[in-house]
Amino acid sequence: MSITRRRFVQSSLAAASLPLLASRRVLGANDDLNLAFIGLGGRGGGHVGWFGSKQNGTRVAGLCDPDESRMGGHAKKNPDAIAEKDVRKLLENKDIDAVVIASCNHWHCLGAIWAVQAGKDVYVEKPISNNVWEGRKLVEASRKYNKIVQGGTQQRSDPLQAEIKDYLDSGALGKMQYVRLNRFGVRGEIGKRDTPMPWPDNVDKDLWLGPAQDLPIMRRQLQYDWHWDWNTGAGELGNWGPHIVDDCRNVALRDQVAMPKRVVAGGGRFAWNDAGNTPNTHFIYYDTGVVPVVMAVHNLPIKKGTNQGDIYARLKTRAFLVIQCENGYYAGGRGGGSAYDNDNKVLKKFKGDGGGQHAANFLKAVRSRKREDQNAEIEVTHLSSAWCHLGNIAYRLGKEYNSEEAKDRVKGYGPWEELVEGFEAHCAANEIDLGKEGAKLGPMIEIDAAKETFTGPSATDEAKALLRREYRKPYVVPDEV
Ligand SMILES: NC(=O)c1ccc[n+]([C@@H]2O[C@H](COP(=O)([O-])OP(=O)(O)OC[C@H]3O[C@@H](n4cnc5c(N)ncnc54)[C@H](O)[C@@H]3O)[C@@H](O)[C@H]2O)c1
């Protein structure tokens, strides 16, 4: 079966309605899968090779990006693929079996929901959502249309995770006490223009914005730095967090905890006088009902004037995942880690593959039609993404930071006090005046996990509004998927 390539359409006369339900072609056991790639930036470009390789039994059948400069090179290399800047038009093609979405975060859920409604299976990058509510809508859509939908938390396909679980289950480290999560990657400011960014000629503005509000863009560049604006991104917690939280939810909490019971957070966007509004320094406490989880996310260096990332001082580690047990701890990141006794002596080393088989795992499930074959079935990545949105909401509800109040939020709990003290020490090393630079401390928010909403005194209209977004018409995630 051949697919004819359509030219990149310059007009933005996009149909305003959702794609019509399209039936999927009937696949034979040996048929290649036709894949379309939605979002062709850094990650999406990599996906074309990862998913679209011949040994996977796949064909690069469709390409979609409203940025012509992003699409052009891929269209040249894959002349038989449909190149279409409007995802709705791409999805009309009945020959496409599955889509791989690596657009900006604000498009993930809507693109994925439209895709399943059009009869396609979906791989969608983390965070799978812009907000908690729409993530659940995607899970509902995957059930209703009986589609295979997988999240881009690829560590779930790393055999490392099962090895760590087995080791913890052996009792070698004793009972689990708490989990400490860290992300200490240094980043820089994103600029601040005097006048709004002129929209680049090569990008279709309406399609790029999709569900996001049409607000003036004051940063230096359009692409990638959308991460640092709530309108389109979810900050560093929403960027790296879904991986790290997902490791914790799987390896330590064994997927027993859908959502935390309570969350509190603080931090700020310090040192950079730029157009971003997400924190570059963020600390979070998750009360899970199993063991507490504390998390530090720092984009500033270990001290002012260096470009070296911060460190978790007590254990002198940058490990993403630290599982503290009675007789020692596990500390590791992508691709491996070690178990230590409480004197920091290595007891066992672990090596992983970083989740390289995750694309193959998705394709296997697309062929078998069995959700249980998936390592990161969409509900798993929805929940890990939602934890990050909750940590962001806990920060966004914050008021002026106060050190004593911060400690009192989880009074007398050592790992929390260590987290708060670590935040203050890190800010001091970067010569941040917490008062002058607008540091925030949020209230303790309570979560009704079954309803995926807030409960108790924290269930204010302001808090609840942050569980969902205002969609720019016609790019609206519907209540009924
Ligand atoms: N799993 C991982 O390890 C991993 C690694 C890197 C990035 N990611 C995720 O991948 C996503 C993309 O990240 P990136 O670094 O490539 O960002 P990027 O800014 O380089 O690329 C995003 C692309 O999406 C395009 N886009 C915007 N609206 C679109 C639409 N309606 N249809 C199709 N494309 C659209 C943009 O034009 C841009 O080319 C992010 O959500 C990020 O979190 C995941």
Side-chain angles (χ1 to χ4, degrees):
M1 181 213 38
S2 78
I3 289 187
T4 45
R5 179 178 170 233
R6 255 188 248 158
R7 275 191 316 115
F8 185 89
V9 188
Q10 283 296 339
S11 114
S12 67
L13 289 173
S17 58
L18 299 183
L20 293 173
L21 287 189
S23 57
R24 212 179 108 115
R25 74 190 174 110
V26 179
L27 273 179
N30 298 321
D31 278 351
D32 280 351
L33 292 170
N34 288 326
L35 303 185
F37 296 84
I38 298 172
L40 294 163
R43 185 64 175 167
H47 282 167
V48 176
W50 195 30
F51 288 83
S53 73
K54 286 220 164 56
Q55 70 262 31
N56 279 337
T58 55
R59 192 179 294 137
V60 179
L63 299 163
C64 179
D65 198 305
D67 182 341
E68 202 178 344
S69 72
R70 294 279 171 102
M71 186 131 87
H74 292 286
K76 219 177 211 171
K77 273 195 222 139
N78 300 280
D80 293 333
I82 300 162
E84 174 53 72
K85 68 177 177 175
D86 186 335
V87 68
R88 291 165 295 195
K89 291 194 179 157
L90 177 92
L91 293 173
E92 282 169 10
N93 190 291
K94 292 194 171 55
D95 293 329
I96 290 168
D97 301 303
V99 299
V100 179
I101 302 180
S103 60
C104 324
N105 300 354
H106 63 281
W107 258 109
H108 286 178
C109 266
L110 187 61
I113 289 169
W114 283 355
V116 294
Q117 288 176 332
K120 321 296 183 199
D121 295 316
V122 176
Y123 181 97
V124 57
E125 270 304 345
K126 47 45 63 177
I128 62 105
S129 53
N130 163 271
N131 57 72
V132 174
W133 175 82
E134 68 172 23
R136 176 52 63 185
K137 291 291 148 192
L138 175 54
V139 177
E140 285 172 18
S142 72
R143 287 3 178 202
K144 178 168 172 184
Y145 298 92
N146 201 18
K147 293 294 149 206
I148 298 295
V149 184
Q150 174 132 319
T153 42
Q154 63 267 22
Q155 293 92 330
R156 288 259 172 177
S157 288
D158 191 333
L160 169 73
Q161 297 202 328
E163 283 171 37
I164 307 167
K165 287 196 251 187
D166 287 347
Y167 182 74
L168 294 172
D169 287 346
S170 76
L173 298 179
K175 201 165 177 275
M176 198 182 346
Q177 294 177 321
Y178 65 93
V179 178
R180 162 83 189 217
L181 306 176
N182 303 301
R183 173 61 198 170
F184 294 143
V186 177
R187 294 191 186 270
E189 50 80 33
I190 61 170
K192 192 175 189 175
R193 294 168 179 271
D194 295 333
T195 54
M197 183 192 72
W199 208 262
D201 289 343
N202 49 302
V203 181
D204 184 310
K205 176 180 171 181
D206 182 57
L207 293 176
W208 193 96
L209 281 175
Q213 296 304 309
D214 184 2
L215 303 173
I217 292 181
M218 305 307 289
R219 61 180 178 268
R220 224 170 1 243
Q221 61 178 38
L222 174 71
Q223 303 287 25
Y224 194 78
D225 287 340
W226 48 262
H227 275 296
W228 324 120
D229 180 353
W230 297 123
N231 188 30
T232 45
E236 191 72 299
L237 180 61
N239 183 36
W240 268 97
H243 289 303
I244 299 171
V245 164
D246 193 69
D247 289 348
C248 165
R249 291 189 54 251
N250 182 18
V251 178
L253 304 178
R254 308 297 166 95
D255 287 326
Q256 288 173 59
V257 186
M259 290 229 172
K261 292 171 188 293
R262 300 185 307 156
V263 181
V264 65
R269 188 173 182 90
F270 306 127
W272 309 334
N273 176 23
D274 69 358
N277 51 26
T278 60
N280 61 11
T281 312
H282 197 168
F283 61 96
I284 311 108
Y285 168 84
Y286 293 107
D287 175 3
T288 72
V290 177
V291 289
V293 175
V294 287
M295 183 166 191
V297 182
H298 296 173
N299 288 146
L300 296 178
I302 191 160
K303 67 174 190 190
K304 190 175 177 175
T306 68
N307 56 12
Q308 218 190 322
D310 199 15
I311 199 154
Y312 173 28
R314 186 171 67 83
L315 297 178
K316 297 189 178 46
T317 181
R318 293 199 175 91
F320 296 160
L321 173 66
V322 177
I323 303 175
Q324 181 66 55
C325 304
E326 272 170 325
N327 306 324
Y329 61 95
Y330 170 83
R334 268 189 173 168
S338 298
Y340 302 81
D341 68 13
N342 281 330
D343 295 320
N344 304 320
K345 189 177 133 219
V346 175
L347 300 174
K348 183 175 163 65
K349 290 193 171 171
F350 298 84
K351 198 166 162 28
D353 67 6
Q357 292 306 308
H358 203 50
N361 172 256
F362 169 67
L363 297 170
K364 178 183 167 191
V366 168
R367 291 195 165 89
S368 73
R369 312 304 308 154
K370 289 189 192 141
R371 214 169 266 155
E372 56 276 21
D373 282 347
Q374 292 180 258
N375 292 336
E377 203 282 319
I378 193 61
E379 189 165 31
V380 158
T381 317
H382 157 58
L383 293 171
S384 296
S385 303
W387 280 50
C388 299
H389 296 315
L390 293 174
N392 278 334
I393 294 172
Y395 164 81
R396 294 175 77 179
L397 294 174
K399 305 263 183 298
E400 198 180 324
Y401 183 81
N402 174 292
S403 185
E404 282 311 302
E405 279 180 34
K407 290 207 180 125
D408 282 354
R409 287 283 193 273
V410 197
K411 205 175 170 80
Y413 185 57
W416 167 253
E417 287 178 357
E418 181 184 64
L419 184 74
V420 171
E421 282 163 13
F423 161 72
E424 291 179 3
H426 175 62
C427 289
N430 278 283
E431 298 174 22
I432 306 299
D433 180 324
L434 294 176
K436 282 195 187 137
E437 294 216 27
K440 287 204 218 182
L441 174 68
M444 182 67 85
I445 55 176
E446 287 175 65
I447 292 128
D448 177 337
K451 295 192 179 139
E452 299 192 350
T453 188
F454 299 128
T455 183
S458 57
T460 59
D461 289 347
E462 185 193 5
K464 285 198 274 187
L466 292 170
L467 289 166
R468 190 173 173 157
R469 79 166 306 151
E470 259 183 54
Y471 293 88
R472 194 178 66 94
K473 285 178 188 157
Y475 302 99
V476 180
V477 172
D479 285 293
E480 273 291 316
V481 289

